[in-house]
Amino acid sequence: MRLLVDVGNTAVKVATELQGEIVLINEAHVPWHIIEEVLIAQVGSNEDLTPILQQAQSHQVPYLFASVSPTLGALKCAYAEFQNLGIDRWLTVVASFHLFPNQACVIVDSGTATKVDVLDASGQHQGGWILPGLDMMIDSLVANTQKVFSDTHTLFDTKLGTNTPNAVKNAALSATVALAERAVTQIGEKVQLIYAGGYGELIQQHLDPKGIYFDDLVMQGLIYWRKYQQND
């Protein structure tokens, strides 16, 4: 059994994996006595990861940090300076490439930040965009303007706002949906939409419900990434 670790900007997610089955668990409930290997995708703080590494070391369990490469089998990274691509983005591309072979994909991963990545049907990562996540957009606007405010109970929508919290929240969602729509338009071929992140399902509702939401996309990417390391 493996332990999969996704160290994001605001949270750490952990899951066990056995024969391809991923089960999200609480960090306090890791069955260390049967863990054989730890795979880590890290974009967040080392402090968040330290307890897991200490446990792995105390149980003599090896751990590996996933990294970006210019190619991974037939998959090609768009970045010339591939080291600058966030590992979370790369792993969502890796997972999408394997989950939807020979299909163009637009990946919308929305959490602290919203990342939109485009993959063509041949396995060429076309690149993508990063913009503030919905909460960050709202917080930045409210903090830097007078008489503009939001609240915690107004729901997100894409309609024109009829009060200030409406206008703020709906603009953030509309801007995010519009960016994803632009990615779909730019690729110019039939596209599989893939959603991930805390706001992924919300964006799915307003962009294209026929797309597929994954709550473990980065972790699926870790599994595929590891297979290539084992085959080298």
Side-chain angles (χ1 to χ4, degrees):
M1 178 178 285
R2 290 187 180 126
L3 185 70
L4 309 177
V5 184
D6 177 6
V7 186
N9 288 301
T10 56
V12 177
K13 292 171 64 176
V14 296
T16 57
E17 181 268 324
L18 182 63
Q19 297 180 342
E21 182 178 354
I22 298 172
V23 179
L24 293 168
I25 61 171
N26 187 291
E27 188 178 328
H29 300 151
V30 175
W32 284 107
H33 61 291
I34 55 172
I35 298 297
E36 298 175 346
E37 181 179 68
V38 181
L39 303 181
I40 303 166
Q42 183 181 11
V43 295
S45 166
N46 284 330
E47 294 179 0
D48 294 332
L49 184 58
T50 297
I52 293 173
L53 296 185
Q54 289 175 339
Q55 286 283 359
Q57 290 165 356
S58 69
H59 288 84
Q60 298 184 314
V61 177
Y63 53 85
L64 293 85
F65 288 85
S67 59
V68 183
S69 54
T71 62
L72 199 68
L75 178 63
K76 301 177 182 65
C77 181
Y79 277 30
E81 297 181 2
F82 61 91
Q83 305 91 334
N84 293 339
L85 180 67
I87 187 61
D88 55 339
R89 289 177 60 198
W90 181 236
L91 291 176
T92 63
V93 171
V94 171
S96 300
F97 175 70
H98 287 87
L99 291 168
F100 302 98
N102 304 312
Q103 293 186 54
C105 298
V106 170
I107 306 149
V108 184
D109 183 0
S110 185
T112 304
T114 297
K115 290 89 67 177
V116 179
D117 278 282
V118 175
L119 176 67
D120 72 18
S122 73
Q124 175 65 59
H125 175 223
Q126 298 290 319
W129 296 305
I130 306 171
L131 77 162
L134 300 183
D135 293 335
M136 191 182 295
M137 282 193 204
I138 292 165
D139 291 346
S140 176
L141 180 62
V142 170
N144 292 284
T145 54
Q146 296 181 6
K147 297 184 179 180
V148 175
F149 61 94
S150 187
D151 58 35
T152 57
H153 60 267
T154 297
L155 299 178
F156 285 99
D157 207 326
T158 52
K159 298 176 182 177
L160 294 172
T162 54
N163 57 55
T164 299
N166 249 184
V168 170
K169 286 192 165 182
N170 292 6
L173 179 58
S174 295
T176 302
V177 169
L179 188 71
E181 287 175 334
R182 184 170 178 83
V184 172
T185 301
Q186 283 197 188
I187 199 166
E189 55 183 300
K190 186 178 178 181
V191 166
Q192 173 64 56
L193 268 160
I194 300 164
Y195 306 95
Y199 280 119
E201 289 177 292
L202 175 66
I203 295 168
Q204 178 186 27
Q205 293 168 18
H206 291 275
L207 177 58
D208 183 353
K210 294 190 297 293
I212 301 176
Y213 173 79
F214 294 93
D215 63 357
D216 60 358
L217 194 63
V218 168
M219 292 178 174
Q220 293 200 50
L222 273 171
I223 295 171
Y224 290 117
W225 173 85
R226 181 64 176 122
K227 287 180 180 178
Y228 284 98
Q229 317 314 307
Q230 292 171 322
N231 292 333
D232 284 348

